[in-house]
Amino acid sequence: MHIEVVFIIQLSAIHQANETSCSQQTELEGCKESFVILKQFGFTESVFMSARHKGIGEWIRESRTKHYFDSWHVARSLTKKLLKGSKGKQC
């Protein structure tokens, strides 16, 4: 059985002052721009991995692409919640 895995990293520089209204919007616009560039080269996205960004998650769901959160951000969020919970009187 032959399995081919291809990883592509596309970086886009977005200037917040010129192109977006806030830093949250900047990350979403960067993703959108990256998808456009990759499509111009003939790539289709089947799986997309990103930080836990609500705007990106909503946008990806509309495109029917599988979306995963990177493990570092998930672990960081879980750690914060566990530490917060451990400071309660019941622990």
Side-chain angles (χ1 to χ4, degrees):
M1 182 166 86
H2 176 70
I3 298 174
E4 183 175 308
V5 178
V6 178
F7 292 96
I8 300 171
I9 298 174
Q10 162 55 34
L11 302 173
S12 293
I14 304 291
H15 299 287
Q16 180 181 340
N18 299 346
E19 300 179 42
T20 63
S21 58
C22 65
S23 61
Q24 289 288 331
Q25 189 68 20
T26 304
E27 192 168 345
L28 176 58
E29 288 303 315
C31 285
K32 288 180 179 181
E33 186 176 303
S34 294
F35 272 53
V36 168
I37 291 169
L38 291 171
K39 284 182 181 181
Q40 288 174 350
F41 283 101
F43 292 101
T44 57
E45 64 285 336
S46 58
V47 176
F48 182 71
M49 184 178 292
S50 71
R52 295 179 57 184
H53 188 282
K54 289 182 181 181
I56 292 174
E58 292 173 11
W59 177 69
I60 291 293
R61 274 192 298 278
E62 293 171 3
S63 72
R64 309 219 182 223
T65 300
K66 288 184 183 180
H67 183 221
Y68 297 104
F69 296 127
D70 67 280
S71 59
W72 185 87
H73 283 89
V74 172
R76 180 176 158 217
S77 175
L78 181 60
T79 301
K80 283 184 173 183
K81 289 177 184 177
L82 289 172
L83 286 173
K84 184 178 179 180
S86 70
K87 293 180 182 180
K89 291 182 180 181
Q90 297 176 351
C91 287

